[in-house]
Amino acid sequence: FSTTCARCSTNRRLRQKRVISERKLTRYFVDHRKVRVVGGQGGGGGHSFYSEPRKIFGGPDGGNGGDGGHVILKADQQMKSLSSVLPFYQGFHGERGGRKNCYGANGAYLYVKVPVGTLVKEDGKVVADLTQHGEEYVAAYGGAGGKGNSFFLSNENRAPTLFTPGQPGQERVLHLELKTTAHAGLVGFPNAGKSSLLRAISSAKPAVAAYPFTTLNPHVGIVRYQDYEQVAVADIPGLIKGAHQNRGLGMAFLRHIERCRFLLYVVDLSVSQPWIQLQDLKCELEQYKKGLSERPCVVIGNKIDLAQSRINLPLLKEQIDDRVIALSALTGDGLEELLLHLRELYDTYVKTERSQGQSPVKW
């Protein structure tokens, strides 16, 4: 009995250690990173002369050096943050050329995994946008290998002693910026119930509490349908009036909304004049980027289980032209209607992308 109790308490402690609070989780979520990348140096050319019994003057036989390895950024869907990206990467060097015209081996490529949706900037200019899984960008080219003395053999110079060193690799300072790639974005003010809603429709587990700014970094939940289609929904940290001017959590998370193909505006039906929330949210998005508020959307009136919400619902529908879905993330009422409409928005997005000859984002 005592052994069983000890084992249970040990398992309980292990489970508790795995739980990471939302505030601690922010240390692991990084959406900005400055990286210095240097390509591998090319190997030096060989300097030697062929010599064996009865063939003392066999001529030059120094081989060329190997090229230095590139540093390559590769988008990986398993990566969710730039936290694992180091501030410095050095490519592998090429080997020196050997005797008997043996070429030095090329330096291996160094791959750096980054999340899908990573923007690569240099001196403020966008040089790459990695939006597809497996997409690659050569961040720094390796240097060319040097020439061995056999390369300089000519009729005029039968015994060249000249050989060249390998070239240094390319060196760059890049700024990586992550914009969460999701099909739908949950947009709303703090405590509107976005995190509770994401928990209700997916397996994501964002923190939920009765105070504002509970969510401190974007969460992506996957909504799975019976035909195996998957719709990615991002919970964007709560916005406030003036977010485009860097108030509250500011513009740090507005850029994550840019990647969303359609928007889910979450308003709290229990407050007075809930349509004011929608107007303010659209205004903030439009001030941040023109046309952002005009993307396909649906308005979600949350907390319909409260008495005041049922009074405000018809008033909200009178004030706005967008479709309104009333639900309760707490009790689950109205979730089925949301899931059906979410699939309609997704199917429309897929059809539009294919008609334009583009491949839709898949999860």
Side-chain angles (χ1 to χ4, degrees):
F1 176 79
S2 58
T3 305
T4 304
C5 290
R7 189 181 298 114
C8 291
S9 61
T10 302
N11 292 337
R12 194 179 303 113
R13 284 197 300 270
L14 288 173
R15 285 196 298 270
Q16 289 173 350
K17 287 182 179 180
R18 293 193 195 104
V19 177
I20 302 177
S21 69
E22 180 74 21
R23 290 191 177 275
K24 289 181 180 179
L25 190 62
T26 57
R27 295 183 302 176
Y28 302 97
F29 183 83
V30 178
D31 54 7
H32 268 284
R33 188 68 99 192
K34 180 180 178 181
V35 184
R36 185 165 74 94
V37 288
V38 181
Q41 182 168 340
H47 175 259
S48 66
F49 288 89
Y50 187 76
S51 176
E52 66 176 15
R54 295 182 299 279
K55 196 173 183 181
I56 299 175
F57 301 103
D61 69 344
N64 296 339
D67 296 334
H70 306 330
V71 180
I72 301 176
L73 303 179
K74 186 172 183 178
D76 189 333
Q77 207 164 22
Q78 299 298 320
M79 304 290 292
K80 302 302 179 186
S81 168
L82 294 172
S83 59
S84 60
V85 177
L86 302 177
F88 174 72
Y89 286 97
Q90 168 74 63
F92 295 101
H93 301 317
E95 293 185 2
R96 185 179 183 84
R99 300 182 60 184
K100 299 182 180 179
N101 290 310
C102 291
Y103 282 33
N106 294 333
Y109 293 169
L110 176 62
Y111 286 93
V112 180
K113 292 183 179 181
V114 296
V116 174
T118 298
L119 211 61
V120 185
K121 294 183 178 180
E122 185 178 25
D123 298 328
K125 181 181 178 182
V126 177
V127 295
D129 192 0
L130 307 177
T131 57
Q132 299 289 336
H133 176 72
E135 195 172 353
E136 297 179 3
Y137 173 70
V138 180
Y141 286 94
K147 303 300 183 182
N149 65 334
S150 64
F151 177 82
F152 299 98
L153 177 65
S154 66
N155 290 331
E156 292 76 21
N157 187 2
R158 305 305 299 171
T161 58
L162 177 64
F163 63 97
T164 59
Q167 298 296 312
Q170 184 183 19
E171 181 173 353
R172 302 170 73 185
V173 177
L174 302 175
H175 293 266
L176 307 184
E177 180 180 310
L178 174 60
K179 293 183 179 180
T180 302
T181 302
H183 299 119
L186 292 171
V187 184
F189 286 113
N191 273 25
K194 300 184 301 299
S195 297
S196 299
L197 181 58
L198 188 65
R199 277 175 167 260
I201 63 176
S202 73
S203 58
K205 301 298 180 186
V208 175
Y211 53 82
F213 300 115
T214 311
T215 303
L216 298 176
N217 59 272
H219 291 270
V220 178
I222 305 300
V223 181
R224 295 177 172 86
Y225 291 89
Q226 290 184 348
D227 59 353
Y228 303 105
E229 283 286 0
Q230 297 185 149
V231 181
V233 181
D235 174 17
I236 309 299
L239 304 178
I240 63 171
K241 288 190 68 174
H244 71 279
Q245 298 173 337
N246 222 21
R247 294 178 182 172
L249 294 177
M251 294 185 293
F253 297 112
L254 272 170
R255 65 174 171 274
H256 292 282
I257 303 174
E258 289 184 57
R259 301 284 194 188
C260 298
R261 273 59 181 182
F262 39 90
L263 303 177
L264 310 179
Y265 292 103
V266 183
V267 298
D268 185 352
L269 283 177
S270 64
V271 301
S272 61
Q273 297 182 323
W275 54 90
I276 301 296
Q277 298 179 48
L278 182 63
Q279 295 172 5
D280 291 340
L281 287 171
K282 287 191 174 184
C283 179
E284 290 302 320
L285 296 185
E286 197 64 24
Q287 291 288 337
Y288 174 72
K289 185 177 180 180
K290 190 173 182 179
L292 192 58
S293 65
E294 298 174 2
R295 293 190 181 178
C297 69
V298 63
V299 178
I300 299 173
N302 194 19
K303 306 182 183 180
I304 192 61
D305 52 305
L306 302 178
Q308 186 61 42
S309 299
R310 289 190 287 272
I311 298 174
N312 290 335
L313 178 59
L315 301 177
L316 174 64
K317 290 183 177 180
E318 290 177 4
Q319 293 289 332
I320 64 175
D321 297 327
D322 299 314
R323 177 173 176 175
V324 179
I325 296 178
L327 55 80
S328 171
L330 181 64
T331 64
D333 294 337
L335 288 181
E336 185 175 354
E337 182 183 357
L338 172 62
L339 293 173
L340 291 173
H341 187 64
L342 182 64
R343 180 59 189 268
E344 291 176 8
L345 291 171
Y346 172 76
D347 289 340
T348 303
Y349 153 70
V350 171
K351 185 177 180 180
T352 303
E353 290 289 297
R354 288 176 177 166
S355 65
Q356 297 174 354
Q358 301 176 359
S359 57
V361 174
K362 294 286 186 177
W363 279 74

